[in-house]
Amino acid sequence: MTEEVIDQSSPPPDPDPIQNPNPLIHPRRVPFEHGLLPIPNLLFTDPIQTLAPIKQKLTSSASNNRVGSSAVSEALSISSDHARLVLETLASVLHSETDPLVVAKPEEVDSIGADVRDLVLFMYVQSYKRLMPRTHKDSAAVADVWPSASAFDGYLSALSPIQLVRSNSRRFMPSPADEEVHQLSYLQKHIANVIYLLADPVEGEGDESSVLSLESFEHIRFLLHFGDKGSDVPSLSQATPFFKNSNPDMPSVPVPASEVHDWLLKKIASAMECISDRISGKENGPSNASDQDAATADACDRGPCIIEGVSKTSLFKQASDLKGRSVKVANCHDSVIYLLAPLRYATVYGCSDSTIVLGAAGKAVRVEHCERVHVIAATKRICIANCRECVFFLGVNQRPLIVGDNHKLQVAPYNTFYSHLEEHMTEVGIVPTINRWNEPLALGAVDPHDSLSHPTGASDKQSESASFVDPNQFTNFLIPNWFAGEALGSTKDNPFPLPDAYLAVQQSSLKNLEETRQSLRETPLEENRKRELTTAFHMHFKDWLYATGNVRQLYCLQGD
């Protein structure tokens, strides 16, 4: 059974907001999906009372309104490692591709630092609570493909009710439309505080009177955008009635913060109403195949491609299939999934007993609620949350982040390649000479951003980290030639250098294989004995194919 579902729940694409007098506003999902960190000192019960003085402290130590890791560490009372993590995470979710922090080299991140306004908004959204996972609408169908409970399902953690939830109903990723409404609802509730933190007081007018400059207003793009063009949207100010005709060569006149607040509230309310109407129409109205095909055709242009419900098969996608440049793989079982493309973001959610190969993810990868999954990824950063018995083969430029309730995780160096890999890595900015796969950073065992309640004191516990795959158990992963009939790329080998221990074992294995081949060639055997030996090899190989499930890949390749 293979069911590939593309995001069809988001509102239809908007015309250019500069041309459309009533553009639809959307939350930028990236900060909510890839920008949350379970660091206690980033969690504020009263963001305004806490963040306002922190902003003042950061501003006082800023140079050109930017602060480096040392200032972040001091202002937030966090370690230098955590301050670096804050800057790296912020860089991965910023709205501007040209921001100095985004384009900084690894050795420049600490000194270049972040714009204070972006940093304050990043800290504010740490108060966000994710939407609770939903149960599948067809629980009987899910029961057919989901594996039986593992040994861990009988173990109910004292730190988190994750296992209890999973034992009652398997977790399924909320629909894109539900997530969008949830994020808009959060912004609707908090937009007044956001504007307050960005605004400047008017001298002599008291605390109640403040204004927002054009430059500060543009930083709201960290949270909101018009249209469906991802992070590089047109200037937010050009979609407003108060900054639209500003001369870029002349200083703009600041706008009363209350006016900006009222306008944004109306836009958010209008967007929520539009999405709710769309959801209602989809649930109540009949749909036909042609409508679904049309929606699928342009879905990757509108948002992340969602691959959901793949079971007991192999699936291949390349760059031409993933136009959205971001992808979500959800609820896939007993399959091998190849996404050989240059990606921005990738999410793997709720999968089991599968191998997932991610081409090159230049921003971030998040793997969550997975069991017995092998993930092979070349990426700038990765976050692993609430996973069990999973193995990660990584070419990663930043320290792998491990959060939540994890058990028996393993990490290993990157172990594969395909012909366009280096081309894709260069396109998204992954450096092959930097691989920090063996420096996992474990944070809290409880995710404060979920909507579950947790025992008192649980937030102080640290997540279980990952162990290293034994070099003697390390093997290369061979990607089939899915590019038959197309121009091949220049990559001929793994672009990430192997550590000495893994390289030595690999070279030893190759040497033993060659010696075995040579011995067989030189051993004098009668023709019937040669046939028996060949048959024995074939039988053992066939047994291995069936025992490992790899025979399914052969059938899929033959089918293609």
Side-chain angles (χ1 to χ4, degrees):
M1 180 183 74
T2 302
E3 177 191 0
E4 182 186 345
V5 181
I6 306 294
D7 178 358
Q8 301 179 23
S9 304
S10 299
D14 299 319
D16 188 334
I18 298 176
Q19 303 296 328
N20 181 8
N22 296 299
L24 197 64
I25 204 166
H26 300 282
R28 280 190 74 242
R29 298 181 181 186
V30 170
F32 301 106
E33 295 177 0
H34 294 277
L36 303 180
L37 294 172
I39 298 176
N41 284 22
L42 292 184
L43 306 174
F44 309 110
T45 54
D46 188 338
I48 285 294
Q49 291 296 320
T50 311
L51 276 179
I54 288 177
K55 180 191 175 185
Q56 291 178 351
K57 188 173 183 180
L58 289 169
T59 303
S60 66
S61 61
S63 173
N64 197 23
N65 214 40
R66 303 187 73 86
V67 289
S69 62
S70 59
V72 173
S73 174
E74 182 180 352
L76 297 176
S77 299
I78 58 178
S79 68
S80 58
D81 282 347
H82 285 178
R84 171 80 181 210
L85 176 62
V86 166
L87 292 180
E88 290 177 337
T89 306
L90 174 59
S92 73
V93 298
L94 272 177
H95 53 287
S96 172
E97 292 296 324
T98 59
D99 187 276
L101 182 60
V102 175
V103 299
K105 297 177 181 178
E107 65 271 16
E108 300 172 337
V109 168
D110 292 318
S111 58
I112 287 178
D115 187 291
V116 171
R117 291 159 294 195
D118 292 330
L119 183 58
V120 167
L121 295 185
F122 174 81
M123 290 188 290
Y124 193 98
V125 298
Q126 303 303 314
S127 64
Y128 177 74
K129 297 282 188 181
R130 294 189 184 93
L131 188 62
M132 281 286 288
R134 59 186 171 86
T135 55
H136 200 278
K137 61 184 178 181
D138 188 357
S139 57
V142 172
D144 288 340
V145 301
W146 202 274
S148 59
S150 76
F152 284 110
D153 281 324
Y155 171 75
L156 303 184
S157 172
L159 304 179
S160 166
I162 292 294
Q163 279 79 22
L164 182 59
V165 172
R166 294 178 70 119
S167 66
N168 292 333
S169 60
R170 291 295 179 184
R171 303 166 70 85
F172 287 85
M173 188 171 63
S175 73
D178 288 341
E179 283 186 325
E180 185 163 14
V181 170
H182 185 65
Q183 290 160 8
L184 282 172
S185 178
Y186 170 84
L187 292 171
Q188 185 181 49
K189 179 180 178 181
H190 294 277
I191 198 65
N193 290 343
V194 168
I195 293 173
Y196 173 83
L197 289 169
L198 292 176
D200 299 311
V202 178
E203 291 186 17
E205 296 289 338
D207 293 338
E208 298 300 320
S209 179
S210 59
V211 294
L212 205 63
S213 68
L214 170 60
E215 186 181 5
S216 292
F217 178 78
E218 280 293 346
H219 286 269
I220 296 178
R221 287 178 60 200
F222 181 75
L223 299 172
L224 291 162
H225 73 94
F226 285 102
D228 293 279
K229 299 183 181 180
S231 60
D232 290 327
V233 297
S235 171
L236 186 64
S237 60
Q238 291 302 303
T240 70
F242 24 83
F243 290 123
K244 183 174 183 180
N245 298 316
S246 298
N247 186 340
D249 298 324
M250 297 288 291
S252 60
V253 177
V255 176
S258 58
E259 187 176 334
V260 177
H261 172 259
D262 293 344
W263 182 80
L264 283 175
L265 274 184
K266 289 179 182 178
K267 288 296 181 182
I268 292 172
S270 175
M272 292 177 68
E273 182 180 357
C274 178
I275 298 170
S276 297
D277 289 345
R278 180 180 175 87
I279 294 174
S280 177
K282 185 176 179 181
E283 289 177 347
N284 299 328
S287 61
N288 56 57
S290 61
D291 289 340
Q292 293 177 354
D293 290 342
T296 300
D298 73 341
C300 286
D301 290 322
R302 294 189 284 108
C305 289
I306 298 179
I307 299 170
E308 184 171 20
V310 176
S311 178
K312 298 183 179 180
T313 190
S314 294
L315 178 70
F316 167 74
K317 296 289 181 182
Q318 57 186 346
S320 59
D321 302 313
L322 299 173
K323 298 175 185 177
R325 305 291 294 279
S326 293
V327 66
K328 293 186 177 182
V329 181
N331 311 318
C332 297
H333 163 61
D334 196 12
S335 296
V336 181
I337 298 173
Y338 303 88
L339 305 178
L340 309 184
L343 305 168
R344 289 174 60 80
Y345 300 94
T347 299
V348 180
Y349 188 102
C351 297
S352 65
D353 300 286
S354 298
T355 296
I356 298 168
V357 184
L358 302 174
K363 291 293 187 179
V365 171
R366 183 176 178 89
V367 183
E368 189 172 9
H369 298 300
C370 290
E371 300 178 1
R372 299 175 299 280
V373 167
H374 286 199
V375 175
I376 304 173
T379 182
K380 189 165 289 185
R381 60 181 287 108
I382 186 170
C383 178
I384 303 162
N386 305 309
C387 292
R388 298 185 282 181
E389 302 175 70
C390 294
V391 186
F392 299 86
F393 298 88
L394 302 176
V396 59
N397 290 168
Q398 298 172 13
R399 298 181 66 181
L401 185 61
I402 299 178
V403 302
D405 192 14
N406 299 283
H407 297 282
K408 291 192 174 181
L409 302 184
Q410 290 183 289
V411 291
Y414 194 73
N415 68 338
T416 192
F417 70 94
Y418 59 96
S419 70
H420 293 284
L421 176 58
E422 288 171 299
E423 171 191 335
H424 292 168
M425 288 171 58
T426 300
E427 184 175 338
V428 299
I430 298 171
V431 182
T433 55
I434 301 175
N435 191 359
R436 306 186 71 179
W437 68 273
N438 58 342
E439 302 176 49
L441 177 60
L443 294 182
V446 167
D447 187 350
H449 303 108
D450 64 33
S451 300
L452 300 170
S453 60
H454 301 285
T456 302
S459 60
D460 298 329
K461 303 294 184 180
Q462 183 171 297
S463 180
E464 179 182 312
S465 191
S467 60
F468 300 157
V469 170
D470 189 317
N472 292 304
Q473 302 298 319
F474 178 83
T475 58
N476 287 330
F477 183 86
L478 181 62
I479 295 177
N481 182 19
W482 295 99
F483 296 96
E486 297 186 12
L488 295 178
S490 59
T491 303
K492 306 295 184 184
D493 201 355
N494 184 347
F496 294 93
L498 283 178
D500 291 343
Y502 292 85
L503 182 60
V505 170
Q506 190 175 83
Q507 291 174 340
S508 176
S509 298
L510 289 174
K511 181 181 178 182
N512 291 338
L513 177 61
E514 184 56 37
E515 289 176 351
T516 301
R517 285 174 174 171
Q518 185 67 23
S519 176
L520 289 173
R521 283 194 295 264
E522 295 175 351
T523 302
L525 291 174
E526 297 178 359
E527 283 301 318
N528 62 330
R529 298 293 292 173
K530 287 183 179 180
R531 285 194 296 269
E532 289 177 2
L533 184 60
T534 301
T535 300
F537 278 133
H538 287 170
M539 289 300 298
H540 281 293
F541 181 61
K542 185 177 180 181
D543 290 343
W544 175 84
L545 284 174
Y546 279 98
T548 60
N550 286 315
V551 68
R552 189 179 298 121
Q553 290 199 69
L554 292 182
Y555 290 141
C556 291
L557 283 169
Q558 291 172 350
D560 292 337

